[in-house]
Each structure stands twice: as structure tokens, then as C-alpha cells.
Amino acid sequence: MARQDQLKLGSFVYTFGFHPASWLHPASDVAGANDFSHLLNLAKLSEAAKFDFLFMPDSPAAAVGDPSALARQPTKMNRFEPLSLLSALAVSTENLGLVATASTSYYEPYNIARIFASIDHLSGGRVCWNVVTSDHNETGYNFNRDGLDPHALRYERGTEFVDVVFGLWDSFEADALLLDRENGIYHDPSKLHTLDHKGKHFQVRGPLNIARSPQGRPVIAQAGGSEPGMDLAARTAEVVFSLASNIERNRAFYQNVKSRMPAYGRDPNDLKIMPGVVINVGATEAEARAKVDFLIDNLHPDVGRLMLSEFIEVDLAGVPLDAPFPMDRLPEAPRGSRALFDELVDFVKSGRTMGELIRHYAEKHTGNGITGSPTQIADFMEEWFETRAADGFILMLPTLPASLNDFIELVLPELRRRGLFREEYEGRTLRENLGLSMPVNRYTAARAGTI
């Protein structure tokens, strides 16, 4: 039976594009890292196409590794702080959802609650917090740590962190602001609540000094593929960015996460599973392949080795391109993303050479990518959507703005012809456009006797 809903789409915005050689492409904006007009243009293109959101990933540190390779891979070396950028985009757009990453390992809950609530007001209800615990050692070096905290500790802290933020977002009930000039009463004191949280990792009094946000609270996104990550997603997330490399694995992930939600009193429809997918599209498959070949041919081998080292956490400097991957250097478990590590290990174990592995990873990242014509791209998306492997996709576009324009001009008309994607936004808030329910304030619910 065909689904009654439609695909959700978000544009994933690394400054120049997702491919590590994207900044070398003549159609990229080589000066775009510090040019707000470049990023605003990407937002405007996404909004005109009626995308659900634009997603700004982040790592709060410059990359660490081979200096000569880093000099050829600028994405992490020069980028805007995402929450500042979202504030600017919020007042420069009208309908587009705005998603940014902020780590529970390097903020305090009160900061995050206040910043995201503020941006939600500035945007009229269009902001989303991508909750991460961070997955690279360099993120700890600037925050009084020697690398990453252990995985279990990061998730324990992250779980309490999210609970505190949710509590702070409930500080004001929806009708707390009386704005009564005649009697001189600004808010109803019985509808402003102090959290008084005292836990293992945080002590936060509250209340939050900003009114309840237009969405009740900002939308929550998450990307964890580990057991603790999936459980946190089932309990708190409303968008999940999955990393599975094939449709069967993603169907299993989809079912796994959504099946956990009723135990937390949640409707599975209040969570959208959106795999990140690398899209290489041309008018024909040959044209799309030529675009891929250009980028891979311009990828310096040192950058390729660094790119793999970053996620597999193995020093690959100097390994010949025609040599097999050095399996004896492969760790048993990652310090960072479990899901991404597993995807790469699967491919490494296939016996490919370093050069083949770099080429594969540069084209498809975790394997979840497609190169082809508009019909082939639409067929791929339709199958994943209709068979419940995905509720939508995060478009990881190789070169910006060129690949974004290609998708909008070539693929969107085919998706709309099939009735898979909207013609107009359904509402004003991100929550409305994603088809998510409005969260109930805990104190209002207690007053009404519904909890």
C-alpha cells in the first residue's frame, strides 16, 4: 500500500560541498567559508525548492592530523560557528527549517536551552537542535580534555543534558505571559516554573528566562547508531540521521528505533528517519559519472588517507594506494561513531586496496550514495520511502551550489510528478512541515491531570 505522507528533504551544508575536493571545483565558491551571502544563497535555494530544512553540521575544533593534508582539506579548518550563523539565517528566511549541531560534551544545558529557544523565536518556530556527544578526539583538546571522554560516559552525560534542556524549555507555560498593563502584571507567576535539577552531571536551578518557544520546544535531531544512541533517539528525537549503507540494513534500523518509542509513550509517527545520502545526478548516468570522476581525480591521496583515518582512527599516512588496507592496524572498536565505523569496516574487509577504498569513500561516504540520472535517483528514493527504510533524506551534495541546483532542476520535478514531494509548505513552523505533534508542557499536563 502506498504511503499517505510525502518525502522529507534536508540539504546538508558543508561550505563548499560534501566532497573533500569540492572547493577545487570551478563551480564552487572558493571564498564562501567566510561569506554569509554564499550560505544565504544555499538557504534561499533550499527554501524556494520547499525543502524541510537546511542542516549545518559542526565540530567545535579544527581538524588534527597531517598538516599537508589539512592544507588541502579546508572544511573543518575555516567555518562559521553554526548557532551564530543560524541566527542570521533565521531573520533572512521565512519557511525553511534551520538545523545545527551542538555537542552535549562541550556546552552547559542552560546555554543550549536559551540559545535554541531564542533562535526559535527569531525564526518564528523553525529551529532544530542536532544533539551529538561528539566523535573526534580533537573536539576535546580545547575543552580541558585529552581527547574524547569514553563512549558510555558521553551518552550518560548526554541523556541527562537533554532531560535538563527539556525541563528548562518547559519553564514558561504557553499562556504564562499575561501582558496586563492595566494591572501591571507581565506574567502569571503560577505558570513560570523553577526546575531545581540536581543530577550526577548537572545542577541547574532555572527557570529559563525566555518564554515558551513557538514550537513548544525546538525540534530534536540525532544521529547515534549505537545501542545507547538508538535508545536516546527513541526517547527524545524527532529526526534521526541514519548512516546505513543499504536498504535492508536501513529498514532494520528504521524498525528498531521506531519499535522502541511506545515504551516511552511516544507515537512512531513523531520520528522521521532520514538517511544521509550522497547524490551525484546528471541529465544522464554518464554525465553524473563524469561529475564524480572530476572530483575523485582531483582528490589528493593524502586527503583521502586523512579522511579515512579520521573515522577508522588508524594512521594511514604513507600506505601505498595499490596496497591492501593494513588490517593489523584496525581497532576493535571506535572512540567515535559506531555506525560509521561499522560501515567502513565492512568495506575494508572486502580486501580492496587503499586506492579503491578512498575512491569508494569519496563517492559514497558510508556506501549510502547514488550516481545516476533523475529517474534513477527518484527510483532510489521512492523504493526507500515506500518500503519504510526512510521517511526522507538528508541530501549530501558533492559541490555547492552546483549540486544543489542540479538536484532542484533535475530530480525534484520527477519526485513531484510521482506525488512524492510537496508543492508548497504545509505550515509556518518546522514542526508543522515535518508533520510532528506539538509537545505538551509538563506543568500544563499536570494541571490538567493528563500525566
Side-chain angles (χ1 to χ4, degrees), residues 299-317:
L299 178 67
H300 194 280
D302 289 346
V303 176
R305 294 185 185 95
L306 177 68
M307 182 174 62
L308 293 174
S309 299
E310 192 174 56
F311 290 105
I312 302 182
E313 298 182 11
V314 176
D315 183 4
L316 300 173

Side-chain angles (χ1 to χ4, degrees), residues 257-273:
V257 175
K258 293 209 176 193
S259 67
R260 299 176 188 223
M261 295 178 69
Y264 296 109
R266 299 188 63 205
D267 183 339
N269 290 321
D270 275 331
L271 175 62
K272 307 302 178 186
I273 306 288

Side-chain angles (χ1 to χ4, degrees), residues 225-390:
S226 64
E227 277 296 313
M230 288 189 287
D231 213 50
L232 183 62
R235 190 163 72 87
T236 64
E238 292 158 311
V239 177
V240 167
F241 305 147
S242 65
L243 294 168
S245 64
N246 62 66
I247 192 168
E248 292 80 12
R249 186 174 288 183
N250 223 74
R251 279 197 203 107
F253 176 84
Y254 185 104
Q255 177 62 28
N256 188 337
V257 175
K258 293 209 176 193
S259 67
R260 299 176 188 223
M261 295 178 69
Y264 296 109
R266 299 188 63 205
D267 183 339
N269 290 321
D270 275 331
L271 175 62
K272 307 302 178 186
I273 306 288
M274 300 180 68
V277 58
V278 181
I279 301 289
N280 299 286
V281 63
T284 65
E285 184 176 0
E287 182 181 302
R289 174 57 54 189
K291 293 177 182 181
V292 172
D293 289 343
F294 175 90
L295 289 170
I296 294 177
D297 290 345
N298 281 276
L299 178 67
H300 194 280
D302 289 346
V303 176
R305 294 185 185 95
L306 177 68
M307 182 174 62
L308 293 174
S309 299
E310 192 174 56
F311 290 105
I312 302 182
E313 298 182 11
V314 176
D315 183 4
L316 300 173
V319 177
L321 296 180
D322 59 355
F325 183 89
M327 294 298 294
D328 58 328
R329 301 189 197 178
L330 193 66
E332 292 185 6
R335 286 178 60 86
S337 168
R338 174 87 249 179
L340 185 52
F341 178 82
D342 288 345
E343 297 292 343
L344 292 173
V345 168
D346 283 351
F347 190 80
V348 163
K349 288 181 176 178
S350 67
R352 310 295 178 92
T353 66
M354 275 295 300
E356 290 171 330
L357 179 57
I358 288 171
R359 185 177 183 91
H360 171 89
Y361 189 69
E363 178 179 349
K364 296 187 176 183
H365 196 50
T366 60
N368 186 7
I370 180 167
T371 298
S373 68
T375 300
Q376 290 171 306
I377 304 298
D379 286 347
F380 172 93
M381 291 184 163
E382 184 171 23
E383 182 183 13
W384 280 58
F385 178 68
E386 293 292 357
T387 61
R388 287 175 168 74

Side-chain angles (χ1 to χ4, degrees), residues 61-87:
V64 174
D66 177 5
S68 63
L70 290 172
R72 300 174 181 273
Q73 196 351 7
T75 299
K76 282 190 179 181
M77 307 309 291
N78 181 23
R79 67 202 305 184
F80 281 117
E81 189 283 312
L83 302 185
S84 303
L85 178 60
L86 252 60
S87 297

Side-chain angles (χ1 to χ4, degrees), residues 14-37:
Y14 275 159
T15 303
F16 310 104
F18 187 70
H19 197 280
S22 59
W23 71 279
L24 299 172
H25 196 285
S28 69
D29 182 351
V30 72
N34 307 116
D35 184 356
F36 176 67
S37 65

